[in-house]
Amino acid sequence: MPTSVPPAPRASRHRAAISGAVVIGAVGAAVLLAGVVMLLVLAAQHGYFGPSARVLACGGLAVALVIAGLLVRRRQHDNVGAVVLAGAGLAAGYLDITAMTWLMDVPVRAAVVAAGLLALAGLALSWWWGAELLGVIAPLGALILVPAVSAGDPLTSATFLLLLTAVTMPASWRDGWHLLLACRVLPTAIYLSGLMGAMDTGDPRSDLLRTGAVVCAAIPFVDWWLLPPMARRLSRLGGSGPTARTVQAHGLTVVPLVLPLWVAAATSQGWWAVVLAVPLAVVAAVHWYVVEEPAMVAGCTVATAMAALAVPIAALNGDSMWICLAVLCLAFLGIHRLTGQLAAMVVGCAIAALLLVDALPRVLGHYRSESVSAAGLAAATGLVETAAIVAALLAIGAVVPGRVGDPAAAGAMPSGGAVYSGGAVHSAGGAQVRAGWIVAAVASACLLLRAPVADTTDALAILAGHPDGAPTVGRGLSTLCAAVIITVLLMRSRGAGRDAATRRVSGYVLMGLVVTKLFLHDLVNLDGVVRVIAFIGVGLLMLLLATAYSRSIDPPAS
């Protein structure tokens, strides 16, 4: 299994240091190439050379720079100038391919093949020399060049990017070559995601692009299983085998490489969303269950969430979509509660932030439903959204104190950072932070419950045949619900600890706001029995609190 890769000692990692010589050489190469471009432009303006001569001159410069790098490397094995010269030669080669396409009308596909061969040659040279910087230049130049020269042929660009990302997979297996891994993955993921988002669903090329998105999503999982056995064999050619940190870096590539498939599923219509999203969710969930490496588990968690989000976004709208997202949020927060996985909590909180965008307008401007079914669906959506947002705040409050207020708990975090081993918060600062998040959850519940309570009263009033009285009843019930929630907070805040004091003082403030609303707003806008019930209910709750606090806080008589 990929998780069985043993961690290597720190001394065995090979990291390319960014020294002054490398910076000076890179800047010099950039200045040289800028001068070459200006020379070619000047020659074109004055007609000194024809297009063929300019292309040949640029190609000759590229070959000369690479040969110079080889000679320097042969004489001085550790001279970074060799890497800089060879990298400048590769950049000049990409510039020459661009010139051939624009000046000599070379077919785009021929230019793409030439760029791919140049990238593979550069990667082979970087592996031979053990120079990650050269390996970064080789694929990155091709990944940037090809979309630029083939803007009118997105299928060719997408095919090339996918092939280059897959073929160059072994180059990033070398231990510590994380920058090369990022340069392999990110351009392809960004380009394909943008292509899928801009593609019209009726375009005849959309099916082929969806297939490309599926291939892109499969690359990280294939890479994950091939990495340990193949990298050990390739290490015999030079370099060290993969360490645990290298395996973690490859596990993190799951999220960007499945992004094009998520965009394809979310922007599709009908059954295409299900066909694209469900297999991704199944594969990611299976890997989440099978593997044990924290980074891969986190990546699979996010991938599963993305696949699950794609279906309601593509197939549903209105309250149906939001209630599905809220249930999904609660599911991931439940996974965090059961397994302690931090990635599940992050996904749940991200979805909760989206839910808050929908819930706040419901509170600020309530829209009355015309039918029982619409009012019932709106009420259910509001209740589940409120539950998801409150659960997210409580989950944050359970995790953040262990990282901020309790150094011991923070030190118990695994090195991968993807799994949180929970425990009691022992420091006073951490307990106060947790109490603050609990108060935020209570305040959010008091605020957000206004909309679902109003929708519930609308549904009941329509059923009873008196829809005109629903707004008044809804306002009164929302005040009572807020008072009940704050009462529960204060009842559970009896004690002498600083966290209890934080919750208690905050509860007093919230109850004061409820009383202020009762006298300034409800006294004017409520009428009849509803106003009487609201005042009596809040008064009884406060008397209950006074009695309970008198028994639990007052010191015993001496």
Side-chain angles (χ1 to χ4, degrees), residues 345-428:
M345 190 208 76
V346 172
V347 172
C349 292
I351 301 175
L354 293 176
L355 297 174
L356 188 61
V357 174
D358 178 68
L360 284 178
R362 295 174 183 268
V363 175
L364 299 178
H366 177 249
Y367 173 76
R368 293 190 62 189
S369 302
E370 299 296 333
S371 63
V372 176
S373 59
L377 180 59
T381 303
L383 287 173
V384 180
E385 284 182 343
T386 302
I389 294 170
V390 170
L393 292 173
L394 294 176
I396 295 174
V399 172
V400 170
R403 287 176 163 244
V404 177
D406 188 5
M413 292 294 296
S415 59
V419 177
Y420 171 69
S421 54
V425 178
H426 301 289
S427 69

Side-chain angles (χ1 to χ4, degrees), residues 142-190:
L143 292 171
I144 295 175
L145 168 67
V146 171
V149 300
S150 61
D153 191 0
L155 286 179
T156 300
S157 301
T159 303
F160 172 81
L161 293 178
L162 286 173
L163 287 176
L164 189 62
T165 302
V167 171
T168 58
M169 188 187 303
S172 61
W173 288 344
R174 193 155 184 161
D175 184 47
W177 284 24
H178 303 154
L179 183 59
L180 173 60
L181 177 64
C183 292
R184 269 188 56 242
V185 168
L186 294 180
T188 302
I190 294 172

Side-chain angles (χ1 to χ4, degrees), residues 66 69-71 73-74 77 82-84 86-87 124-131 134 174 177:
V66 174
L70 291 171
L71 292 176
R73 178 77 177 187
R74 182 177 180 182
H77 183 75
V83 177
V84 175
L125 188 61
S126 69
W127 186 278
W128 178 29
W129 287 359
L134 187 60
R174 193 155 184 161
W177 284 24

Side-chain angles (χ1 to χ4, degrees), residues 183-287:
C183 292
R184 269 188 56 242
V185 168
L186 294 180
T188 302
I190 294 172
Y191 179 77
L192 285 179
S193 299
L195 204 60
M196 295 304 308
M199 184 64 62
D200 187 5
T201 54
D203 195 309
R205 299 171 296 182
S206 58
D207 292 345
L208 293 176
L209 289 175
R210 291 190 186 104
T211 304
V214 173
V215 173
C216 184
I219 289 176
F221 298 104
V222 175
D223 181 25
W224 173 259
W225 292 105
L226 290 180
L227 171 61
M230 297 303 296
R232 290 192 184 97
R233 296 179 183 178
L234 290 174
S235 64
R236 300 171 186 172
L237 302 176
S240 59
T243 60
R245 189 173 294 274
T246 300
V247 175
Q248 290 175 359
H250 282 260
L252 293 175
T253 61
V254 172
V255 176
L257 287 177
V258 302
L259 182 61
L261 183 58
W262 179 81
V263 175
T267 56
S268 298
Q269 295 180 354
W271 286 100
W272 265 114
V274 179
V275 171
L276 295 174
V278 171
L280 174 61
V282 172
V283 172
V286 169
H287 280 77

